[in-house]
Amino acid sequence: MELPRRAPNSAGPKTQYRIKAKKLSYKLSHQVDECHWLPWKKKADNAYILRNVSCEARPGEVMAIAGPSGAGKTTLLEILAGMIPPSRVSGHVLVNEQPMNVRCFRRLSGYITQDEVLFPLLTVEETLLYSARLRLQGKFQTAESRVGELLKELGLEHVANVRIGSESNRGISGGEKRRASIGVDLVHDPDVLLIDEPTSGLDSASALHIVLLLKSMAIKQGKTILLTIHQPGFRILEMFDQILLLSNGTVLHQGSLHLLEQQLRFAGHSIPRHINVLEFAIEISEALVMITEESETEDSETEEYYAQINPNLSNVEEIKISYPNGRFKEVFVLVRRFFTIIRRTNQLFTARIIQAMLAGVVLGTIFMNATNDPKKYKLQTQIGFFAFSLTLLLSSTTEGLPIFLQERRILMRETSKGVYRISSYVISNTLVFIPFLLIVALLYSTPVYWLVGLRREMDGFIYFLLVVWMVVLMSNSFVACFSALVPNFIMGTSLIAGLMGSFFLFSGYFIAKEDIPKYWIFMHYLSLFKYPFECFIINEYGAGKGKRRCLQITEGNCYLYGEGFLMQQNLEESKKWSNIGIMLVFILGYRFLCFLILCYRSWRTRI
C-alpha cells in the first residue's frame, strides 16, 4: 500500500482502494475511563464488541454500516480506519489484498468522527484553509484554490466567513457544521472516506444533502466510502450500494438493500408499508437468523492463506513516511492559527489584559502609602508585596487550561493522521505566548513598580519587568505541561492549584530553607516561587541605591541596610542572573515534558 504522490487536482489515474475485513473480533480490554492510557491503570476483561466480522468495501461505492445501538458500528469503523491498532484486534484488515499499514492508511484516508472537533472561533473558510495549508504541499495559493473548490462542492460558500460557533456562541447550523467537518478531511482529496453517523442530529433535508454529496464523490471520483447510519429514510437508503447489518457485534447481512428484502421475505417476514426495509430489519434483528458460517474448507484455506502472510509481516519493506510540509511551514501555519484563536478568545486575551492593568493599579495603590514614606517604612510589607505578586502572577494563568485541552483533542486527531509533527505544535504554542505574555507583564509592571515605590532606577524597572515576564512564561509552560497530562478541566485545576500551593509553601517565605525537613528539601528547589522571589529581593536591596537603603531605624540610628539584609537571607548578587537562567530552564523543561507526554499519548493510540 503506497501513499498517493499526486496533488489533489493533478491529472492522471486515481489510486483506488478495496478494503476487506476477515473474521474481526474485538474485546474492550481496558477500563472505560479517561485515564486508561496511564501505564499503571489495571485492565479489566469485558465482553466482545465485535465477533467474526467479515466485510468488503469497494471503490466507487458507498457502504453503510447499520444496526441497533450497541451493535458495534462505530468500533468496526474505527478498526477499518486504523484508529484502533491491529495489535488490539484479532482477525485481518486488508487494503488492496495487503495487510493494512496503519500509519500509511491514516494519511491517505479521511476519518470523520461523530462529534465535530473544530475550533469554534474560526470561520468555515479559515477552518478549511488552515487544514489545507497543513496537509497540502506547495504554495499557499494551492491551498486557497483547493478550499475554494471545496466550499463550492460542499455548498458552504454562503457561510464561508461565519464562525463555526459553539453551544454558548451561535455559529453555523448543524448540517453546515457537519459538512465543514467532512471538508476538513477532504482537503487532501483522500481516496478512502470513513464517516461516523454523518446524518445524526440533522433534519431530513440536511441529511439527504450530505448523503447525496457522498454518493456523488463515490461515483465521480471513485472514492471508497464507508459510513455508519442509524434509522435512515427511504431516499437515503437508495444511495447506498451496500449495507452491512450488525447486531451484538455479529454480521447479519452484507449486500444490497434489495437482497436484504429478499432474505427477509424468504425467512417468512412481512415488511409493513410504513417502515423501510432496513428499519424493519433492525427491529427484528434479535430474531433474524442468517447463515453466516463458512465451510470448513474455506476456513482452512483462509487460515492457510494468512499463515503464509503473517510470518512475513515483520519483513515487509517499511515505506518511508514523510510529512506533507517542512517543520518551518508547520510552525508558521500553527502560529497563525493559534494566534487567531487567542485573539478571539475574550476570556483569555481581553480579560487577561484588563486583569493585568487593574491588578497593577490596585496593588500599587494598596502598597503605596506603606512603602513610600521612609518614617513608616516596613520591610515585611514590601516582602509581602513580592510574595502576593508572585501568587497573583502564577495562579492567573490557569484560565488557559480550557484552550490547551481543546487544542489537545484536535492535536491528537491531526497528528495521528500525520498532518504535522508534535514538536511543531509545542514550538508554535510557545512562540505565540511569548509576545502575548510580554504585553501582560508590561501592563502589570509599569503601574505597580512606580506606585509601590520600588528602587527608582531604570535598570531596576527593566529587571523587574524581565522577572515578571519569566514568571508568567514559567506558569504558562507549567499549565501547558499538565494540560497534556490530565484528562479534563476539573482534574487539571485541582492538580495545578495543589502544586502551586505546595510551591508557595516551600518558597522560603513561610518557612526558611534551614527549617525545611531534609526529605522535603527537594520541593524547595523545585518551587516556582523561590527563584523569582529571590530575584525581587536582590533587585530591590542589592543593586545601586538598594545597598545603601536603610531598612530598620531605632532611635534615629540605622541598624539594617539593604546589603546587610541580603547577607541575613544568604543571598548573593550573583544569583540575580543565575536565577533567571534557572527560570528559563523551568520554561523549557516544562515544554519538553509537555512534548514527551503528547508523544506518549500519540504512541499509545498506535499500539
Side-chain angles (χ1 to χ4, degrees):
M1 181 176 63
E2 295 183 354
L3 287 172
R5 293 186 172 86
R6 55 183 173 77
N9 298 319
S10 61
K14 287 180 63 70
T15 306
Q16 296 185 332
Y17 294 93
R18 182 186 298 265
I19 304 172
K20 287 184 180 180
K22 294 295 288 185
K23 294 188 175 298
L24 292 180
S25 295
Y26 178 69
K27 201 174 188 179
L28 189 64
S29 58
H30 58 72
Q31 289 181 318
V32 183
D33 62 28
E34 293 180 294
C35 296
H36 68 265
W37 62 276
L38 294 173
W40 58 81
K41 280 286 183 178
K42 294 183 178 180
K43 296 182 178 181
D45 291 334
N46 290 300
Y48 278 97
I49 297 179
L50 297 175
R51 188 186 294 274
N52 293 331
V53 174
S54 297
C55 61
E56 179 180 349
R58 295 184 286 268
E61 294 185 354
V62 178
M63 186 177 86
I65 304 173
S69 298
K73 303 186 295 295
T74 299
T75 302
L76 176 59
L77 194 70
E78 288 179 343
I79 294 173
L80 297 178
M83 304 309 294
I84 297 178
S87 59
R88 299 182 188 175
V89 183
S90 63
H92 308 276
V93 179
L94 304 179
V95 179
N96 288 349
E97 305 300 332
Q98 294 296 321
M100 176 187 283
N101 184 320
V102 173
R103 294 184 65 191
C104 285
F105 189 74
R106 286 180 180 179
R107 282 168 162 80
L108 63 86
S109 63
Y111 175 61
I112 298 101
T113 57
Q114 186 173 352
D115 53 329
E116 292 93 357
V117 187
L118 302 172
F119 289 108
L121 296 177
L122 294 180
T123 66
V124 174
E125 185 176 17
E126 289 171 340
T127 300
L128 298 179
L129 191 58
Y130 283 123
S131 180
R133 287 176 175 176
L134 288 168
R135 291 190 175 210
L136 299 181
Q137 298 177 352
K139 298 181 179 180
F140 286 161
Q141 288 80 0
T142 305
E144 292 172 359
S145 174
R146 175 60 179 159
V147 169
E149 294 175 2
L150 267 181
L151 288 172
K152 185 176 181 180
E153 184 178 357
L154 296 170
L156 294 173
E157 290 177 299
H158 63 291
V159 291
N161 296 317
V162 180
R163 294 184 185 181
I164 297 295
S166 60
E167 293 180 359
S168 57
N169 297 310
R170 185 175 177 83
I172 58 178
S173 67
E176 291 163 344
K177 187 178 294 186
R178 199 70 177 125
R179 277 177 275 157
S181 183
I182 293 173
V184 168
D185 277 284
L186 281 178
V187 292
H188 64 303
D189 195 23
D191 296 301
V192 181
L193 199 59
L194 305 101
I195 313 176
D196 187 21
E197 298 277 3
T199 62
S200 178
L202 303 180
D203 59 81
S204 57
S206 299
L208 181 61
H209 186 279
I210 288 177
V211 176
L212 281 170
L213 174 66
L214 297 175
K215 181 66 174 179
S216 173
M217 287 190 292
I219 295 174
K220 295 180 180 179
Q221 303 174 28
K223 296 184 185 296
T224 305
I225 298 180
L226 299 89
L227 56 88
T228 60
I229 198 77
H230 188 67
Q231 293 182 336
F234 284 98
R235 297 181 65 186
I236 291 178
L237 275 177
E238 296 174 354
M239 304 295 166
F240 301 144
D241 299 284
Q242 288 192 81
I243 293 175
L244 181 71
L245 181 59
L246 296 178
S247 179
N248 295 323
T250 59
V251 177
L252 299 183
H253 167 80
Q254 182 183 12
S256 65
L257 185 66
H258 178 67
L259 181 59
L260 176 61
E261 183 177 1
Q262 287 183 334
Q263 289 181 333
L264 288 172
R265 296 188 187 281
F266 181 77
H269 297 285
S270 178
I271 304 173
R273 292 184 178 181
H274 63 283
I275 299 179
N276 65 52
V277 177
L278 182 58
E279 188 175 352
F280 179 73
I282 292 173
E283 286 183 1
I284 64 167
S285 59
E286 295 295 333
L288 199 59
V289 178
M290 298 291 180
I291 302 174
T292 58
E293 295 182 356
E294 299 174 334
S295 64
E296 293 182 3
T297 305
E298 187 177 349
D299 282 343
S300 62
E301 290 177 354
T302 303
E303 293 302 321
E304 185 177 339
Y305 170 70
Y306 288 112
Q308 295 174 358
I309 291 181
N310 287 335
N312 297 325
L313 284 180
S314 60
N315 298 323
V316 173
E317 182 180 354
E318 187 70 22
I319 300 172
K320 185 178 180 180
I321 300 174
S322 60
Y323 291 90
N325 297 289
R327 192 184 304 275
F328 178 80
K329 184 179 178 182
E330 289 177 354
V331 171
F332 179 75
V333 175
L334 290 171
V335 163
R336 292 188 62 179
R337 185 175 77 175
F338 201 58
F339 176 77
T340 303
I341 294 169
I342 289 180
R343 183 168 52 85
R344 294 177 183 173
T345 306
N346 293 330
Q347 302 93 324
L348 184 63
F349 186 78
T350 307
R352 190 71 194 280
I353 295 296
I354 295 174
Q355 180 196 48
M357 290 189 296
L358 286 179
V361 172
V362 171
L363 281 181
T365 55
I366 290 174
F367 287 92
M368 180 170 55
N369 294 330
T371 57
N372 277 353
D373 188 353
K375 297 179 181 179
K376 298 180 179 180
Y377 185 84
K378 296 180 180 179
L379 175 63
Q380 193 59 38
T381 302
Q382 197 161 20
I383 300 299
F385 162 72
F386 292 146
F388 184 81
S389 292
L390 288 175
T391 305
L392 176 69
L393 293 170
L394 285 168
S395 62
S396 62
T397 52
T398 54
E399 65 261 21
L401 184 61
I403 305 297
F404 285 125
L405 291 174
Q406 183 188 58
E407 275 269 317
R408 191 184 72 189
R409 291 182 63 200
I410 298 176
L411 168 73
M412 290 293 102
R413 187 196 69 181
E414 292 177 333
T415 54
S416 69
K417 298 175 182 179
V419 178
Y420 52 82
R421 302 165 181 85
I422 293 178
S423 58
S424 298
Y425 166 79
V426 176
I427 293 171
S428 63
N429 185 280
T430 306
L431 292 176
V432 166
F433 275 105
I434 287 175
F436 169 61
L437 293 178
L438 176 59
I439 295 173
V440 171
L442 185 63
L443 291 174
Y444 172 78
S445 301
T446 302
V448 80
Y449 187 88
W450 303 108
L451 286 174
V452 171
L454 301 179
R455 186 165 61 90
R456 296 185 180 277
E457 294 175 322
M458 186 54 65
D459 67 307
F461 169 71
I462 293 175
Y463 184 80
F464 182 86
L465 172 62
L466 176 62
V467 174
V468 171
W469 187 31
M470 298 297 286
V471 168
V472 290
L473 282 173
M474 191 165 51
S475 179
N476 181 262
S477 297
F478 179 80
V479 173
C481 175
F482 281 90
S483 69
L485 179 67
V486 298
N488 52 55
F489 177 75
I490 295 176
M491 187 174 291
T493 51
S494 301
L495 184 61
I496 290 172
L499 286 172
M500 284 295 186
S502 302
F503 289 153
F504 194 22
L505 176 63
F506 290 101
S507 64
Y509 178 73
F510 292 104
I511 179 172
K513 173 186 173 182
E514 294 76 17
D515 298 328
I516 298 176
K518 292 183 178 179
Y519 47 84
W520 281 114
I521 198 67
F522 73 95
M523 285 294 294
H524 177 69
Y525 293 103
L526 291 177
S527 173
L528 302 184
F529 284 83
K530 166 182 162 59
Y531 303 99
F533 186 63
E534 291 178 353
C535 286
F536 284 152
I537 293 176
I538 294 172
N539 184 54
E540 186 63 22
Y541 307 119
K545 297 179 181 178
K547 292 181 179 181
R548 300 184 299 275
R549 176 181 291 185
C550 182
L551 303 181
Q552 285 186 3
I553 301 176
T554 305
E555 297 180 355
N557 297 320
C558 184
Y559 284 93
L560 182 64
Y561 289 94
E563 191 174 15
F565 176 67
L566 292 183
M567 292 178 65
Q568 286 183 1
Q569 301 297 318
N570 294 322
L571 294 177
E572 301 174 358
E573 281 197 60
S574 59
K575 286 187 175 181
K576 182 176 181 179
W577 296 107
S578 62
N579 282 3
I580 292 290
I582 293 173
M583 286 190 282
L584 184 61
V585 169
F586 272 121
I587 293 169
L588 298 177
Y590 279 122
R591 290 288 174 176
F592 184 67
L593 278 176
C594 175
F595 168 71
L596 293 179
I597 294 169
L598 291 174
C599 285
Y600 179 72
R601 277 183 171 272
S602 180
W603 173 75
R604 287 286 296 178
T605 64
R606 297 196 298 263
I607 62 172

